[in-house]
């Protein structure tokens, strides 16, 4: 076999392997998307898939379900608030860590990363009792605050490199002009690190959007978010798989759009502490 | 590390060179983050530790709170269900993660070449990582249903008998592991692929021209160069796997029986099933100590502040 022929064979084999991997990896996603367009009763009866049975009925049921709509609304509000809170507070802290010299600077930076990796199960029971005590249980504010426990350290870690990259000359010029530290942060640094803020915000939002355990324990009917509402569509006698798949598709769409749009930043975003709920 | 005598050329000195260090105080900038961290991280941890020393019922109707010292920890050691959950948790980690690393490495090596549609494949293969954990658990539960589940339809077509996968202890445990491998090996792939792309091509080509076989190149050149990345992936996966909850909770609810009650699920059951917050907190502290040990190892080895600053927001 000639070299060129060998290359061709290898490339062919790799493409076949890639196609197989894709098939396996996308199959469950495909199942979710497809069954959202089937009715619960059709799925449960075990009928073979038929093109003619595709309908929007399950979506209609999901959008008419006031509890589900409320939960999705809560998810949006909690996601936006906790993103705004953690990006605001996190940007300040990242600036403080990367542009000041002080004792314990390294230790502080490290603790923020370790904080991001603490298991939620270790915190949630204590949070439940604290929130119950001060009346934050089942409130949008409470769950927002709980989500900031992972988003604030996450955002800080994402933003430190962006703040460090800003050249000193910007800072010096502004200081000569008599700029205060606060004005410097707001008027010089924030515009310069804007790309970092966008990336951090997107991932913080996804973190909050996907989160399940805090929402399960710390919320009830009022502040429940969509992941918990979706999980309640199945269980006991309720087996509304079609609605489950339809609601899941609604939740998945923004996440997939963001991740496909942000390929360049995925590794940094995920390695800094993940997309894990 | 922040000594001002460091030369500005060293990585740690770079901040000193770039920043206006010394003037002004960082406290106003750090304070809001520190307050939040104190309220929702430090205080709950301390509180958990205190509660773990009490016989503490979940609700006031459950009786009085009694200080018991380390009795909760002692009770855990005697609790067979605790050991069961620990065993399941460790089994999960030891089975799922090596397979994820192997799959991720193999795919990274194979897909690290130009071919038609390569970019699309590498992007789409990451989608499961971003599948909501809850939806992943629900979808797998759906696929494994008898009669109408996708897997049983497939097996029935092949003439195999129908199996109630999630009703069988071993199959349910295997399903939980398969679900995790399916969802998270692309995450390992993503990290390793980036690490592989970071190896200079001339190093790889030199080994190829020397006539080294593929396996020799893998063992002598590629793996040693990839070692830091593999270690990072491994530690990230362990830290993540230690706290797995939502996927398993919605997939099996820990059942059948206790067959898939992993560590976090048992912690949850202690507090909200058995109403024993003290016992649950003791488990929470146990998990916390292990997680911190792994997280500190990871941070010290692979995520130093200097390295982070060197990235300079370029990626």
């Amino acid at each position: 076999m000639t070299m060129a022929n060998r290359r061709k064979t290898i490339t062919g084999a790799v493409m076949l392997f890639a196609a197989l991997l894709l098939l396996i990896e996308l199959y469950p996603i495909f199942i979710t998307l497809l069954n959202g367009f089937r009715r619960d009763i059709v799925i449960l009866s075990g009928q073979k898939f038929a093109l003619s049975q595709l309908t929007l009925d399950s979506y209609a049921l999901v959008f008419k379900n006031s509890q589900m709509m409320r939960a999705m609304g809560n998810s949006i509000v909690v996601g936006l608030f906790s993103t705004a809170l953690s990006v605001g507070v996190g940007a300040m802290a990242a600036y403080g860590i990367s542009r000041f010299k002080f004792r314990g600077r390294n230790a502080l930076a490290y603790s923020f990363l370790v904080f991001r990796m603490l298991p939620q199960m270790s915190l949630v029971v204590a949070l439940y009792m604290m929130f119950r005590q001060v009346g934050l249980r089942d409130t949008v504010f409470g769950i927002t605050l709980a989500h900031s426990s992972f988003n604030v350290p996450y955002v800080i870690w994402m933003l430190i490199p962006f703040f460090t990259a800003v050249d000193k000359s910007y800072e010096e010029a502004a200081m000569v002009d008599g700029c205060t530290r606060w004005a410097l942060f707001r008027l010089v640094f924030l515009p310069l690190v804007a790309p970092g803020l966008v990336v951090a915000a997107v991932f913080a939002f996804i973190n909050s959007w996907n989160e399940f355990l805090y929402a399960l324990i710390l919320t009830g009917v009022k502040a429940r978010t969509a992941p918990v509402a979706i999980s309640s569509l199945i269980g006991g006698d309720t087996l509304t798989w079609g609605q489950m798949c339809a609601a899941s598709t609604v939740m998945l769409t923004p996440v997939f759009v963001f991740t496909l749009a942000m390929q360049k930043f995925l590794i940094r975003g995920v390695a800094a502490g993940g997309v894990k709920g | 590390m922040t000594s001002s005598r460091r030369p500005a050329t060293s990585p740690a000195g770079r901040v000193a060179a770039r920043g206006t260090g010394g003037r002004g105080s960082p406290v106003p900038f750090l304070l809001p983050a520190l307050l939040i961290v104190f309220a929702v991280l430090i205080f709950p941890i301390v509180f958990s530790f205190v509660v773990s020393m009490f016989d503490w019922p979940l609700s006031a109707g459950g009786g009085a709170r009694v200080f018991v010292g380390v009795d909760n920890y002692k009770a855990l050691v005697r609790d067979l269900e605790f050991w069961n959950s620990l065993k399941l948790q460790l089994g999960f980690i030891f089975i799922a993660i090596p397979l994820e690393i192997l799959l991720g490495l193999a795919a990274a090596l194979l897909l690290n070449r130009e071919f038609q549609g390569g970019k699309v494949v590498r992007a789409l293969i990451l989608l499961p990582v971003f599948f909501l954990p809850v939806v992943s658990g629900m979808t797998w539960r759906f696929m494994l249903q008898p009669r109408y589940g996708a897997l049983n339809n497939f097996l029935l077509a092949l003439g195999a008998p129908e199996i109630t996968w999630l009703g069988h202890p071993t199959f349910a445990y295997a399903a939980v592991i398969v679900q995790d491998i399916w969802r998270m090996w692309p995450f390992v792939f993503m990290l390793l692929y980036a690490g592989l792309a970071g190896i200079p091509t001339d190093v790889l080509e030199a080994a190829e021209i020397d006539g080294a076989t593929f396996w020799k190149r893998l063992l002598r050149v590629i793996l040693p160069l990839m070692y830091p990345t593999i270690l990072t992936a491994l530690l990230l996966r362990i830290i993540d796997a230690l706290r797995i909850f939502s996927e398993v909770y919605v997939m099996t609810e820990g059942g059948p029986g206790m067959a898939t009650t992993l560590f976090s699920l048992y912690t949850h059951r202690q507090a909200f099933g058995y109403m024993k917050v003290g016992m649950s907190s003791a488990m929470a502290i146990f998990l916390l100590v292990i997680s911190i040990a792994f997280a500190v190892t990871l941070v010290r080895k692979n995520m130093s502040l200097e390295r982070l600053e060197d990235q300079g927001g370029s990626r």
Side-chain angles (χ1 to χ4, degrees):
Chain A
M1 219 191 303
T2 65
M3 199 67 180
N5 262 337
R6 219 189 101 140
R7 279 263 145 109
K8 250 188 191 162
T9 320
I10 292 182
T11 308
V14 166
M15 282 172 79
L16 200 70
F17 172 77
L20 191 72
L21 278 184
L22 263 194
L23 200 68
I24 296 171
E25 288 303 300
L26 297 186
Y27 183 68
I29 299 176
F30 173 72
I31 289 278
T32 313
L33 301 188
L34 181 73
N35 282 287
F37 293 101
R38 300 174 77 199
R39 288 192 301 144
D40 298 325
I41 188 92
V42 173
I43 295 172
L44 279 178
S45 67
Q47 290 178 39
K48 280 234 156 47
F49 170 77
L51 216 53
S52 59
Q53 281 174 337
L54 291 186
T55 108
L56 286 172
D57 284 7
S58 289
Y59 279 92
L61 284 172
V62 165
F63 286 118
K64 265 188 275 178
N65 179 340
S66 62
Q67 281 185 5
M68 180 61 77
M69 282 301 99
R70 181 172 192 161
M72 286 186 176
N74 284 337
S75 269
I76 294 172
V77 172
V78 170
L80 290 178
F81 277 172
S82 104
T83 303
L85 180 70
S86 47
V87 171
V89 165
M92 285 169 67
Y95 173 70
I97 288 173
S98 55
R99 309 304 293 200
F100 287 86
K101 275 191 298 178
F102 57 93
R103 261 219 267 181
R105 182 174 153 269
N106 269 339
L108 188 67
Y110 288 152
S111 6
F112 277 121
L113 187 56
V114 172
F115 285 151
R116 175 58 187 92
M117 297 177 182
L118 300 184
Q120 279 159 298
M121 196 66 233
S122 291
L123 300 169
V124 72
V125 177
L127 283 174
Y128 171 81
M129 289 188 291
M130 285 161 56
F131 280 14
R132 196 174 56 179
Q133 199 65 39
V134 296
L136 280 179
R137 213 186 90 76
D138 200 13
T139 62
V140 168
F141 178 68
I143 187 72
T144 304
L145 202 60
H147 282 184
S148 64
S149 75
F150 51 78
N151 269 341
V152 169
Y154 177 79
V155 168
I156 293 176
W157 201 253
M158 278 289 280
L159 287 181
I160 285 178
F162 288 93
F163 276 102
T164 315
V166 175
D167 200 84
K168 198 183 171 183
S169 55
Y170 288 101
E171 226 166 352
E172 281 168 347
M175 290 296 244
V176 169
D177 290 348
C179 225
T180 63
R181 276 287 198 178
W182 177 246
L184 187 65
F185 168 70
R186 230 165 27 94
L187 302 173
V188 178
F189 274 89
L190 282 190
L192 285 172
V193 300
L197 295 178
V198 173
V199 180
V202 167
F203 280 99
F205 184 84
I206 293 178
N207 284 337
S208 170
W209 188 252
N210 289 3
E211 202 280 330
F212 177 74
L213 179 56
Y214 283 168
L216 177 73
I217 307 290
L218 301 178
T219 67
V221 245
K222 253 176 46 206
R224 171 187 290 175
T225 57
V228 181
I230 288 178
S231 77
S232 70
L233 286 175
I234 304 297
D237 296 331
T238 15
L239 291 170
T240 47
W241 295 111
Q243 292 175 58
M244 186 280 279
C245 290
S248 297
T249 306
V250 174
M251 290 298 285
L252 284 169
T253 308
V255 180
F256 282 179
V257 168
F258 279 137
T259 49
L260 289 176
M262 303 196 76
Q263 285 293 320
K264 239 177 81 188
F265 296 99
L266 286 189
I267 294 174
R268 263 285 305 290
V270 172
V275 286
K276 194 69 165 47
Chain B
M1 293 303 275
T2 52
S3 152
S4 55
R5 252 173 289 152
R6 249 171 203 284
T9 44
S10 81
R14 193 161 303 161
V15 186
R18 280 190 185 153
T20 54
R23 263 187 284 169
S25 159
V27 174
F29 290 101
L30 298 173
L31 203 59
L34 288 176
L35 280 178
I36 288 183
V37 161
F38 180 81
V40 290
L41 275 162
I42 314 251
F43 186 77
I45 290 171
V46 175
F47 188 46
S48 281
F49 185 68
V50 172
V51 173
S52 78
M53 312 276 236
F54 279 82
D55 181 2
W56 191 308
L58 183 64
S59 56
R65 296 163 187 173
V66 186
F67 180 80
V68 294
V70 293
D71 279 8
N72 282 328
Y73 294 90
K74 282 190 192 157
L76 276 186
V77 176
R78 286 193 306 269
D79 180 5
L80 289 179
E81 288 183 347
F82 169 78
W83 289 108
N84 175 58
S85 76
L86 198 60
K87 193 186 79 191
L88 294 173
Q89 183 70 47
L90 290 177
F92 173 79
I93 289 174
F94 279 111
I95 298 169
I97 294 179
L99 289 173
E100 286 167 15
I101 301 266
L102 272 180
L103 266 167
L105 184 64
L109 288 171
L110 279 166
L111 300 184
N112 184 32
R113 66 192 75 217
E114 291 301 314
F115 63 93
Q116 261 200 333
K119 257 195 170 151
V120 178
V121 170
R122 287 190 289 262
L124 287 180
I125 222 160
L126 296 181
L127 284 182
V129 180
F130 297 91
F131 216 52
L132 274 76
V134 168
V135 175
S136 178
M138 304 290 287
T139 298
W140 278 87
R141 178 170 170 176
F142 178 37
M143 291 194 303
L144 296 174
Q145 291 299 309
R147 220 159 45 78
Y148 54 84
L151 184 66
N152 272 318
N153 281 343
F154 182 69
L155 290 178
L156 279 177
L158 293 180
E162 186 170 82
I163 298 172
T164 311
W165 296 100
L166 297 179
H168 186 290
T170 313
F171 287 149
Y173 186 54
V176 164
I177 292 174
V178 168
Q179 185 273 147
D180 193 71
I181 295 175
W182 170 78
R183 210 168 76 80
M184 292 316 276
W185 82 257
F187 168 80
V188 178
F189 161 76
M190 174 168 72
L191 290 182
L192 297 190
Y193 182 79
L196 200 60
I199 298 179
T201 30
D202 46 341
V203 174
L204 294 180
E205 274 165 12
E208 203 162 349
I209 290 164
D210 285 347
T213 63
F214 170 74
W215 292 109
K216 255 196 187 141
R217 266 184 291 150
L218 181 68
L219 286 177
R220 302 256 172 86
V221 184
I222 299 176
L223 284 185
L225 284 170
M226 296 267 296
Y227 172 73
T229 319
I230 296 176
L231 189 69
T232 305
L234 181 69
L235 287 169
L236 279 171
R237 284 304 301 130
I238 290 176
I239 291 165
D240 214 21
L242 274 171
R243 59 180 176 187
I244 185 166
F245 177 83
S246 45
E247 302 93 312
V248 186
Y249 184 78
V250 299
M251 202 169 152
T252 65
E253 286 160 47
M258 300 288 276
T260 55
T261 304
L262 303 186
F263 199 90
S264 279
L265 279 99
Y266 190 51
T267 313
H268 174 264
R269 184 181 290 216
Q270 280 282 4
F272 300 101
Y274 305 158
M275 310 287 173
K276 288 183 183 164
V277 177
M279 290 286 275
S280 172
S281 296
M283 287 188 74
I285 294 294
F286 181 82
L287 182 64
L288 190 75
V289 171
I290 295 175
S291 300
I292 289 180
F294 277 107
V296 168
T297 314
L298 174 68
V299 170
R300 290 182 66 147
K301 270 200 148 66
N302 296 57
M303 294 191 169
S304 69
L305 190 57
E306 289 88 51
R307 269 183 63 160
L308 197 68
E309 285 169 339
D310 276 350
Q311 292 171 358
S314 57
R315 230 182 19 202

